[in-house]
């Protein structure tokens, strides 16, 4: 039950609510726990609440680093 | 799904695993505890143990909120649910946790108790609005991720003057549990922690610094996808090799040192630290859980219904306690997958998909020679 997932805010609604897109399915969730939610933001969703934002640049950096490490391994062991 | 699928790529996983093989020193043991059930689930589901060198051992920790809930707390919830004036609301997994006398909340429901499964605290508030002549109690469990939604529900209940709503608060805290495990000394030998990611989204990475420093163990805050776990293992191996014992964050895409200040302040307004709280497997752990703040006492189900806590020992055959302490593995339990299975769990670790026994039952047990 602790699992949470990244979802994209597709529309902000009144009362700190928002519509999020989960793999093509939309759902209404609360964004009351985060500061300045924006349409297009990715957030971590848990039990119906966005609990934090996801930083797209950091995600890209993490992936690039792993990609690099993995690539250097396949060069080292052909 | 974006930010999920990219972190599950098999080609990168194999490259990361090869990288870890080059990092490990052959004469060293690396005993890493994955604190969260989310990691346990990912490790079992993607067979990560099989990709790692033999001298890296992954050990399950107590980070599954359903698993660590002691029987006495579930008994209290059942006692509440059986009252004719009460509607008890709970997240799904807790309904199946076995309690005393072969009872569970599901069984209570079969006996006529009004038990409702909710997906969020706002569902529980809605049930309270819709049923003004009933007492609606939210059975709140979970770590620091699940706590802020409970805090918001309390604030909203007060704003709306919802006199028939209360919270049975069982929220627990991760850093004190980590500290408790390490303080137990020789009970379990650990070289580092794969640290909680979603919890850290809320509380930040900073709260682990004191634990890492005091016990000289590295902690890497790790995301829940398989590549996240592999990268975190690599980061831990590097720290251990270099003799460093720091808190590092792998899940930088959502975790900062300070976490979510708004969420933390809502929790601080509505809840207060308990002196001590019983965890399944760990016993009484000081300052490891939250109660409703005295300012919100009118919404505290423990006060409203004068609930008294009673310790109840676990089923004799069940090894959940030792598993939650990192001392045993699911396959070490005599009744694993025989008497105890996900359809008919004997212990809590078989209930939630993040429980060590359920994860091993679903994904691990057919992999030859592979420890969970
Ligand atoms: S297999 Fe069942 S009884 Fe054994 S430790 Fe796991 S949950 Fe407990």
């Amino acid at each position: 039950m602790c699992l949470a997932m990244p979802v994209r805010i597709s529309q902000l609604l009144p009362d700190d609510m928002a519509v999020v897109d989960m793999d093509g399915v939309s759902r209404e969730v609360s964004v009351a726990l985060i500061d300045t939610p924006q349409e297009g933001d990715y957030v971590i969703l848990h039990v119906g609440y966005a609990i934090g934002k996801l930083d797209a640049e950091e995600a890209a950096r993490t992936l690039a680093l792993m990609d690099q490490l993995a690539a250097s391994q396949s060069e080292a062991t052909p | 799904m974006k930010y999920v699928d990219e972190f599950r790529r098999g080609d990168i996983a194999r490259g990361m695993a090869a990288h870890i093989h080059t990092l490990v020193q052959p004469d060293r043991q690396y005993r890493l505890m994955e604190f969260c059930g989310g990691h346990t689930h990912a490790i079992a589901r993607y067979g990560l143990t099989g990709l790692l060198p033999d001298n890296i051992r992954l050990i399950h920790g107590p980070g599954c909120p359903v698993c660590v809930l002691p029987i006495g707390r579930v008994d209290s919830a059942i006692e509440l649910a059986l009252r004719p004036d009460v509607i008890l609301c709970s997240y799904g997994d807790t309904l199946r946790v076995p309690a005393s006398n072969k009872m569970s909340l599901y069984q209570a429901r079969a006996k006529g108790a009004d038990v409702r499964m909710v997906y969020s605290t706002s569902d529980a508030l809605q049930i309270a609005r819709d049923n003004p002549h009933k007492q609606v109690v939210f059975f709140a469990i979970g770590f620091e991720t699940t706590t802020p939604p409970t805090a918001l529900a309390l604030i909203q209940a007060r704003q709306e003057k919802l006199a028939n709503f209360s919270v049975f608060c069982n929220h627990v805290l991760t850093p004190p549990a980590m500290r408790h495990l390490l303080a137990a000394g020789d009970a379990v030998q650990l070289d580092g922690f794969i640290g909680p990611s979603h919890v850290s989204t809320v509380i930040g990475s900073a709260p682990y610094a004191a634990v890492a420093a005091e016990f000289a163990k590295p902690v890497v805050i790790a995301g829940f996808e398989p590549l996240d776990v592999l990268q975190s293992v690599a980061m831990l191996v590097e720290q251990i090799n270099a003799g460093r014992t720091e808190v590092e964050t792998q899940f930088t895409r959502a975790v900062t040192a300070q976490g979510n200040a708004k969420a933390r302040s809502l929790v601080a307004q509505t809840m207060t630290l308990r002196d001590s709280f019983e965890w399944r497997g760990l016993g009484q752990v000081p300052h490891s859980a939250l109660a409703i703040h005295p300012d919100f006492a009118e919404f505290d189900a423990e006060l409203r219904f004068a609930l008294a806590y009673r310790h109840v020992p676990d089923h004799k055959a069940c090894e959940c306690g030792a598993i939650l302490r990192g001392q045993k593995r699911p396959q070490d339990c005599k009744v694993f997958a025989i008497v105890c299975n996900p359809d008919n769990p004997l212990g809590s670790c078989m209930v939630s998909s993040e429980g060590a026994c359920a994860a091993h039952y679903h994904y691990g047990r057919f992999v030859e020679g592979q420890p969970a």
Side-chain angles (χ1 to χ4, degrees):
Chain A
M1 66 152 281
C2 229
L3 292 184
M5 63 182 104
V7 295
R8 183 177 168 277
I9 297 180
S10 52
Q11 195 192 344
L12 290 171
L13 301 173
D15 298 327
D16 283 332
M17 297 297 285
V19 179
V20 297
D21 181 55
M22 288 162 64
D23 246 353
V25 181
S26 352
R27 235 183 97 180
E28 266 187 40
V29 307
S30 167
V31 288
L33 292 172
I34 55 173
D35 285 321
T36 60
Q38 305 282 327
E39 283 171 19
D41 279 355
Y42 276 84
V43 293
I44 309 273
L45 179 71
H46 180 59
V47 293
Y49 287 81
I51 55 168
K53 284 191 194 177
L54 202 141
D55 182 331
E57 275 175 36
E58 279 296 331
R61 241 195 299 274
T62 304
L63 267 176
L65 185 71
M66 286 196 274
D67 216 354
Q68 221 171 32
L69 276 173
S72 68
Q73 285 305 318
S74 55
E75 278 160 28
T77 49
Chain B
M1 191 157 43
K2 192 156 163 63
Y3 299 118
V4 174
D5 298 333
E6 307 94 298
F7 292 93
R8 293 182 180 173
R9 273 177 53 186
D11 54 336
I12 301 186
R14 280 183 291 277
M16 284 301 298
H19 172 63
I20 294 170
H21 278 265
T22 64
L23 289 180
V24 292
Q25 297 171 352
D27 50 348
R28 246 199 158 113
Q29 289 297 316
Y30 301 85
R31 291 156 299 193
L32 311 179
M33 175 174 274
E34 85 263 9
F35 188 91
C36 284
H39 292 130
T40 304
H41 180 89
I43 289 163
R45 176 166 174 193
Y46 297 99
L48 300 185
T49 316
L51 291 176
L52 296 175
D54 290 341
N55 55 341
I56 295 185
R57 198 173 145 221
L58 300 179
I59 301 167
H60 309 301
C64 160
V66 179
C67 304
V68 296
L69 199 63
I71 291 177
R73 292 269 158 191
V74 188
D75 280 352
S76 295
I78 292 170
E79 180 189 319
L80 278 178
L82 287 170
R83 289 175 60 121
D85 56 334
V86 165
I87 300 175
L88 188 95
C89 302
S90 149
Y91 295 129
D93 284 339
T94 49
L95 300 191
R96 300 200 297 126
V97 178
S100 296
N101 308 321
K102 299 210 161 75
M103 280 290 272
S104 66
L105 283 165
Y106 257 132
Q107 239 102 41
R109 186 152 82 178
K111 286 193 187 324
D114 196 344
V115 177
R116 314 255 182 115
M117 189 182 125
V118 293
Y119 294 100
S120 87
T121 51
S122 54
D123 296 346
L125 287 173
Q126 192 55 43
I127 292 169
R129 289 182 205 111
D130 294 343
N131 295 275
H133 304 301
K134 288 272 193 172
Q135 284 292 330
V136 174
V137 183
F138 176 61
F139 183 23
I141 77 152
F143 289 100
E144 293 94 329
T145 18
T146 324
T147 309
T150 305
L152 267 181
L154 287 163
I155 289 169
Q156 202 161 351
R158 165 173 289 177
Q159 275 167 0
E160 294 181 29
K161 301 193 170 58
L162 268 180
N164 65 329
F165 178 80
S166 60
V167 173
F168 177 31
C169 185
N170 295 278
H171 286 299
V172 285
L173 306 171
T174 47
M178 218 178 243
R179 180 182 296 274
H180 185 82
L181 275 170
L182 291 168
D186 290 345
V188 48
Q189 292 289 328
L190 295 176
D191 300 299
F193 279 100
I194 299 175
S197 57
H198 293 147
V199 159
S200 305
T201 305
V202 175
I203 64 170
S205 59
Y208 300 98
V211 187
E214 184 180 342
F215 296 96
K217 301 286 178 206
V219 178
V220 172
I221 309 291
F224 283 129
E225 299 305 334
L227 288 187
D228 293 321
V229 176
L230 288 171
Q231 189 182 26
S232 304
V233 168
M235 290 167 77
L236 281 167
V237 169
E238 282 180 310
Q239 282 212 49
I240 292 165
N241 287 348
R244 288 186 294 122
T245 56
E246 294 159 25
V247 177
E248 292 180 323
T249 299
Q250 179 277 335
F251 196 54
T252 51
R253 59 189 184 276
V255 171
T256 60
Q258 302 314 322
N260 181 338
K262 190 174 181 186
R264 281 192 287 116
S265 105
L266 291 166
V267 172
Q269 280 170 47
T270 53
M271 291 175 225
T272 180
L273 207 55
R274 290 182 194 262
D275 289 338
S276 187
F277 191 83
E278 188 188 338
W279 293 52
R280 191 191 294 253
L282 307 189
Q284 290 286 339
V285 182
H287 305 125
S288 67
L290 299 171
I292 306 290
H293 195 283
D295 284 354
F296 282 79
E298 62 200 290
F299 300 104
D300 188 344
E302 282 177 78
L303 299 177
R304 187 175 293 189
F305 300 96
L307 293 179
Y309 182 68
R310 193 170 59 95
H311 166 79
V312 180
D314 288 349
H315 191 288
K316 275 205 288 299
C318 178
E319 301 277 15
C320 281
I323 289 170
L324 291 166
R325 289 191 299 274
Q327 291 164 336
K328 285 196 173 165
R329 299 172 307 166
Q331 57 270 50
D332 297 330
C333 174
K334 281 198 212 60
V335 295
F336 173 77
I338 305 167
V339 179
C340 181
N341 57 61
D343 290 331
N344 200 357
L346 193 66
S348 58
C349 294
M350 193 56 99
V351 173
S352 145
S353 68
E354 294 119 71
C357 295
H360 188 60
Y361 184 93
H362 286 299
Y363 305 112
R365 71 200 160 112
F366 301 118
V367 183
E368 191 73 20
Q370 181 186 313

